[in-house]
Amino acid sequence: VNRSIQVEGAFGVLKDDYNFNRFLTRGKVNVKNEFILLCLGYNVNKLHAKIQGERLGHPLHQLKTA
């Protein structure tokens, strides 16, 4: 009764949008490494969306002109 049924945003995205429902490896170290890769992919995807949507305010690197 006291537990919330709403899933946290990042886990909802991983489960629904990335179709992630179980780890492919066994063991604490392997699962931790797999989860780190998932988090890295999630964050890179968010950064890419921000860059494409021009929501950063400035580019990460200035373009070099020849």
Side-chain angles (χ1 to χ4, degrees):
V1 173
N2 294 332
R3 298 189 75 174
S4 174
I5 60 170
Q6 184 177 7
V7 69
E8 189 174 335
F11 293 116
V13 169
L14 287 176
K15 290 172 80 174
D16 193 41
D17 294 346
Y18 294 173
N19 293 325
F20 178 77
N21 56 5
R22 68 176 57 183
F23 290 101
L24 300 174
T25 57
R26 290 187 174 189
K28 283 185 180 182
V29 174
N30 292 337
V31 168
K32 180 181 174 183
N33 290 337
E34 187 176 347
F35 188 67
I36 288 172
L37 288 173
L38 279 170
C39 293
L40 181 69
Y42 176 76
N43 288 330
V44 167
N45 195 19
K46 279 181 60 174
L47 179 63
H48 175 71
K50 284 184 179 182
I51 291 171
Q52 292 300 313
E54 297 178 4
R55 292 183 290 165
L56 286 178
H58 57 83
L60 294 176
H61 302 286
Q62 295 297 327
L63 294 176
K64 294 181 180 178
T65 56

